[in-house]
Amino acid sequence: MAAAEKPTKEKLLSTLDDIEVLSRELIEMLALARTQKLPQPGEDTQILELLVQRDKEFQELMQTAMEQGRVHQEMQTLEKEVEKRDSDIQQLQKQLKEAEHILATAVYQAKEKLKSIEKARKGSISSEEIIKYAHRISASNAVCAPLNWVPGDPRRPYPTDLEMRSGMLGNMSNMSTNGVNGHLPGDALAAGRLPDVLTPQYPWQSTDVSMGILPPHHGNDFGLEPPGHNKENEDDVEAMSTDSSSSSSDSD
Amino acid sequence: MATAVPVVEEAEDYSFLPIIHDVIKCMDKESPDVHQELNKLKTKIQEAREQISAMPGIDLSPALQESRLQTLREQVQTKNQLLQKYKSLCMFDIPKPS
């Protein structure tokens, strides 16, 4: 087995060089023989035979070279096809990567959703309880004004100054001057105007009632005044009405 | 017939013997065209060199070129099969939104 066969180009050039050298030698030998008129022993025959042999080799090599040229064209066509296939495969790979990314995102989001569902399931509360709390919160009119609330109504969704003073803390500090200030609890003012159903039941008032600080008939001793006519209440209302959310600033 | 003729002509073109024969004949006749024939020979040899340098695909031996050709053919076949396989994979049936 010949190791590393020579490329065809190298062989062709080598053969061509041989032909050139041999033809030159042959011509020089013939020219010399003619001038010297000496017959050459047969050297020119040897050169001629070699020249013929080289010429034949050259022709065969040229045929091989032509054939290799055709094969080279086929190889170029195949290389273009390979390039095109590579491009298609890369395109498919890119699409696969995109699909993988989309699926990974979807799976992650689904897992997060499942976690939320599990968490909600563990901390589930009955709907009745939630509705009960909603009733309690909205019963104090803290989320929505009463249906018959009008500007000037001293009722607020938070404890007013008057109500704070008539509460536990207020009474503790005003123990010595009880009954002089003339302040009335908020629900006593409204008692004469509103039916019991609509009387606001503030959470802090339920505590006051249970403590028994203000018996309800005391409110009647002071008389019932319509909302907005008690100057001090009005001042309180006006002071509190400076809040942007309040709408009773122009009650008078 | 038409295709056979060019092949024969190409074979004759690559032979230097006719020109060498003409040179020797001129030398025998002591013709003044000897130099002209010699120049023709030199020119032909030079042209042959240039043609050989410009021919594509002869930088490899025939055996090596054949093996590379086989490799390329196998590559193309493999990649065709791969693409065919991927394109004919089970595709997801995406339900159209009604």
Side-chain angles (χ1 to χ4, degrees), chain A residues 82 86, chain B residues 70-80:
Chain A
V82 166
D86 282 341
Chain B
Q70 271 307 111
T71 306
L72 275 173
R73 280 181 181 153
E74 282 168 11
Q75 264 188 26
V76 169
Q77 191 181 8
T78 305
K79 288 183 181 182
N80 277 339

Side-chain angles (χ1 to χ4, degrees), chain A residues 42-157:
Chain A
E43 204 173 327
D44 53 349
T45 312
Q46 282 182 1
I47 293 174
L48 195 59
E49 281 174 1
L50 272 173
L51 189 60
V52 168
Q53 189 185 355
R54 285 290 182 269
D55 189 75
K56 191 178 171 190
E57 279 178 17
F58 184 77
Q59 286 187 60
E60 285 170 1
L61 281 170
M62 283 303 282
Q63 287 301 319
T64 306
M66 299 299 280
E67 186 59 34
Q68 279 190 266
R70 280 190 283 272
V71 170
H72 181 74
Q73 273 187 0
E74 190 182 342
M75 281 171 70
Q76 280 184 330
T77 308
L78 287 173
E79 275 169 6
K80 277 182 189 166
E81 274 199 47
V82 166
E83 270 178 30
K84 190 175 178 305
R85 297 293 177 272
D86 282 341
S87 158
D88 290 344
I89 288 170
Q90 275 177 10
Q91 186 67 21
L92 272 176
Q93 189 182 16
K94 193 175 157 190
Q95 286 175 0
L96 184 65
K97 263 291 187 199
E98 280 178 26
E100 185 196 13
H101 177 68
I102 292 169
L103 282 172
T105 308
V107 165
Y108 172 75
Q109 285 177 358
K111 279 184 180 170
E112 290 295 312
K113 271 215 172 95
L114 285 172
K115 277 185 198 170
S116 302
I117 291 168
E118 190 56 38
K119 197 174 168 185
R121 198 175 290 153
K122 279 181 186 171
S124 64
I125 304 169
S126 72
S127 55
E128 284 184 11
E129 209 168 327
I130 294 175
I131 292 168
K132 211 187 291 180
Y133 273 112
H135 270 291
R136 277 200 201 174
I137 290 165
S138 53
S140 61
N141 293 318
V143 294
C144 180
L147 293 172
N148 56 355
W149 194 90
V150 290
D153 192 326
R155 289 178 295 172
R156 294 286 179 275

Side-chain angles (χ1 to χ4, degrees), chain A residues 6-9 16-17 20 27 31 34 51 55 58-59 62 65 68-69 74-75 81-82 85-86 92, chain B residues 11 14-17 20 23 27-28 49 53 55 57-60 62 65 69 73 75-76 79-80 83:
Chain A
K6 280 185 183 176
T8 306
K9 186 187 245 180
L16 192 61
D17 290 338
E20 190 180 9
I27 291 165
R34 195 168 300 285
L51 189 60
D55 189 75
F58 184 77
Q59 286 187 60
M62 283 303 282
Q68 279 190 266
E74 190 182 342
M75 281 171 70
E81 274 199 47
V82 166
R85 297 293 177 272
D86 282 341
L92 272 176
Chain B
Y14 300 140
S15 176
F16 295 93
L17 294 179
I20 294 170
V23 169
M27 284 171 71
D28 283 340
R49 277 210 181 93
S53 300
M55 284 174 85
I58 57 172
D59 294 321
L60 306 169
Q65 194 186 40
L69 178 69
R73 280 181 181 153
Q75 264 188 26
V76 169
K79 288 183 181 182
N80 277 339
L83 277 170

